[in-house]
Amino acid sequence: MTYREALKYLDSFINFEKSDGYNYKTSFKLERMKRLAALLGNPQRSISSIHIAGSKGKGSTASYVHSILGSAGFKTGLYTSPHLVSFRERIRIGNELISEGDLARIMGQIKIAIESSMESERPTFFEIYTALAYVYFKDKGVDFAVYEVGIGGRLDATNLVEPLVSAITPLSYEHTDKLGNTLEEIAMEKCGIIKRGSICVSAPQEKPVLNVIEGVCKDKKVRLILVGRDIKFKELASDENSNTFSVSGPSREYKGLKTSLIGPHQMVNAATAIGIIEALGLQNVAVPDAAVQNGIRDARWPGRLEVVGRKPFVLLDGAHNKASARILAEAVKKIFKYKRLILVLGVSKDKDVKGVLGELLPESGAVILTKSKVLNRALDPMMIKEEILNMRHSVKEIILTCDTDEALNRALSIASPEDLVLITGSLFIVGEVKEHYSKCMNTV
């Protein structure tokens, strides 16, 4: 199987990342994932793992942990989703993405397993890709693997791992049609990753969420390390290039930490990552202070408050719900200086469009609406415009576009050097703009 054949085969399976209208609790079947993993020899059991769920910041937190462990000299795998440009971004060891050859080779193994024993109930795109990560990390003999949950936690394909540490990043209302209509219901789905014999680390949470996390930890006799109580952090400085802060944990204090991942929320994510490192320390995994310092400094997580252009500022962020949009709006106001904010927005049908608009419209002088080229569940820009008009916001300019290429070109054409172009609403939108951006800038 060649790389192109592998991608074509992978693309033949149902992909809930791009689809809508499915029933989460009947479409996601952990038993099906268990069967696929068993056919492959249960490779996930061979690797020490860290498992991270949440509504916001789970990818950034995973990236910090991956970077810190790498700086400490451990061979560390990272599994995240979705990707921005290439499928290969989802699976990496250190700074190296999975190679085309390894991806094709392992996909060939998975194809044999599926066609021999699973033709009657084919796995999903995400299940296959997760299995690919399990096999790859075992084949390469990693010391640790850091897994980011796809959606929820309890039924997620990543939930076959028996982690040393489970982590819950900040929770908020998301996927309410799938995970539940209350914070408690959503939290119960996320807490499905907490396993007996592990340690749980949680970011600061709203009281209803924290009650659920504490209850699950108590029931499973799992120690809980809580950021804000057991792990404290203090901001020292921030601008459009970096954050400087300090963190104090149960065993150590980390002074003068610096990260290029900008925004106050990234200090919460970094503190949560350090909580995970402290939890590993309780399980005899030694990570020097210098590795924490260097790992925080070197962590990269594209598409999250990422500056890809200046004069005007061009900023990418995957905020897709009310809570993440509020964090984004607050970070932009705090960090950047600009004359006018031009909002480029594309969202999925299942997202809280009104909530996102409510946070971002008050800061926007012009709005350019668009949709992803590849996302079947992308919301029509005209419907977003109708929502804006119903909200009676005094946006002076609303522009409809057919795709992200046109949206970016329109934004750059109306922006002055003192403006800020903010592209958000979906990681699919961010990925398409990121891929296209360099070509567009050559003509500006």
Side-chain angles (χ1 to χ4, degrees):
M1 183 177 283
T2 66
Y3 177 67
R4 289 186 179 277
E5 289 170 340
L7 294 186
K8 184 177 180 180
Y9 179 68
L10 181 62
D11 210 33
S12 70
F13 292 86
I14 187 167
N15 186 348
F16 291 127
E17 294 176 7
K18 296 181 180 180
S19 306
D20 62 348
Y22 63 90
N23 186 309
Y24 163 75
K25 292 183 179 179
T26 59
S27 298
F28 284 54
K29 296 181 179 180
L30 205 57
E31 288 302 318
R32 184 173 58 219
M33 185 63 201
K34 287 179 181 178
R35 186 177 178 190
L36 177 58
L39 290 170
L40 296 168
N42 284 311
Q44 77 281 358
R45 295 178 181 173
S46 304
I47 306 297
S48 297
S49 60
I50 296 95
H51 202 190
I52 302 174
S55 302
K56 306 182 295 292
K58 57 184 177 175
S60 299
T61 302
S63 182
Y64 280 127
V65 174
H66 173 249
S67 182
I68 292 169
L69 290 174
S71 294
F74 295 108
K75 188 175 185 179
T76 308
L78 177 65
Y79 178 64
T80 59
S81 61
H83 60 275
L84 294 180
V85 178
S86 167
F87 283 114
R88 295 169 52 229
E89 295 170 30
R90 297 177 180 231
I91 302 173
R92 68 185 68 204
I93 297 174
N95 294 323
E96 297 296 322
L97 307 185
I98 184 172
S99 70
E100 293 184 0
D102 280 324
L103 191 151
R105 173 180 58 82
I106 298 171
M107 195 62 71
Q109 298 174 25
I110 293 173
K111 181 179 180 180
I112 291 171
I114 292 172
E115 293 185 350
S116 66
S117 303
M118 295 189 71
E119 276 298 295
S120 59
E121 186 178 23
R122 286 157 62 85
T124 67
F125 167 95
F126 188 76
E127 288 166 352
I128 293 172
Y129 221 101
T130 303
L132 201 156
Y134 289 160
V135 174
Y136 180 66
F137 293 149
K138 179 185 177 182
D139 285 356
K140 297 300 180 181
V142 301
D143 300 308
F144 295 97
V146 184
Y147 294 97
E148 177 196 5
V149 167
I151 181 173
R154 180 176 64 91
L155 299 178
D156 193 75
T158 61
N159 204 25
L160 298 193
V161 300
E162 295 288 338
L164 297 174
V165 185
S166 301
I168 311 293
T169 64
L171 296 191
S172 61
Y173 287 100
E174 61 159 349
H175 300 297
T176 53
D177 60 325
K178 302 173 180 66
L179 304 181
N181 293 313
T182 68
L183 285 176
E184 290 91 343
E185 289 175 323
I186 294 170
M188 281 302 298
E189 287 294 321
K190 305 286 186 180
C191 287
I193 72 167
I194 299 172
K195 308 291 201 312
R196 293 182 185 275
S198 67
I199 297 174
C200 179
V201 177
S202 175
Q205 305 286 359
E206 294 187 39
K207 187 61 176 174
V209 172
L210 183 57
N211 288 341
V212 171
I213 294 173
E214 289 178 332
V216 172
C217 288
K218 183 178 179 181
D219 289 345
K220 296 188 176 181
K221 296 180 172 56
V222 168
R223 175 173 176 173
L224 174 62
I225 296 174
L226 181 62
V227 175
R229 182 189 70 190
D230 308 306
I231 305 282
K232 294 181 170 62
F233 63 94
K234 181 179 180 181
E235 179 181 347
L236 302 176
S238 62
D239 57 28
E240 69 268 20
N241 299 308
S242 65
N243 288 321
T244 305
F245 58 104
S246 61
V247 173
S248 58
S251 65
R252 288 181 282 179
E253 185 173 358
Y254 310 87
K255 297 181 178 179
L257 297 170
K258 195 165 189 174
T259 175
S260 62
L261 304 185
I262 60 175
H265 57 291
Q266 287 296 355
M267 289 175 277
V268 175
N269 298 334
T272 305
I274 289 173
I276 293 170
I277 297 302
E278 293 254 327
L280 289 173
L282 295 173
Q283 299 175 82
N284 300 314
V285 178
V287 177
D289 287 7
V292 174
Q293 195 97 23
N294 295 338
I296 295 292
R297 180 198 66 205
D298 295 339
R300 298 290 181 269
W301 195 231
R304 285 76 173 180
L305 267 177
E306 181 185 7
V307 178
V308 294
R310 297 172 188 268
K311 294 185 179 181
F313 279 116
V314 179
L315 187 64
L316 307 181
D317 191 89
H320 61 272
N321 59 30
K322 181 179 177 64
S324 56
R326 182 188 306 121
I327 290 170
L328 173 59
E330 291 172 351
V332 169
K333 285 189 292 183
K334 177 178 179 179
I335 296 170
F336 296 92
K337 294 180 180 179
Y338 52 89
K339 184 177 179 180
R340 179 176 65 154
L341 190 149
I342 299 169
L343 176 65
V344 177
L345 182 70
V347 296
S348 303
K349 294 176 184 176
D350 61 341
K351 303 303 182 185
D352 179 10
V353 182
K354 187 174 181 179
V356 171
L357 289 171
E359 299 296 334
L360 298 178
L361 284 182
E363 310 305 320
S364 305
V367 178
I368 299 174
L369 304 175
T370 191
K371 64 178 182 178
S372 167
K373 305 173 194 173
V374 300
L375 195 61
N376 295 334
R377 57 188 172 91
L379 188 61
D380 190 292
M382 179 58 75
M383 296 184 70
I384 308 176
K385 180 178 179 178
E386 290 175 4
E387 191 68 61
I388 294 173
L389 296 177
N390 290 337
M391 296 171 71
R392 300 183 184 279
H393 271 281
S394 57
V395 179
K396 294 181 180 179
E397 192 171 10
I398 302 175
I399 301 171
L400 301 181
T401 62
C402 296
D403 57 33
T404 48
D405 292 347
E406 182 186 358
L408 179 59
N409 287 330
R410 290 297 299 273
L412 294 173
S413 70
I414 67 172
S416 75
E418 294 78 31
D419 290 340
L420 184 148
V421 176
L422 173 60
I423 299 161
T424 190
S426 163
L427 280 174
F428 287 94
I429 294 291
V430 168
E432 289 172 19
V433 172
K434 187 172 177 64
E435 183 177 24
H436 183 74
Y437 183 75
S438 59
K439 300 176 185 176
C440 289
M441 286 306 297
N442 291 333
T443 67
V444 175

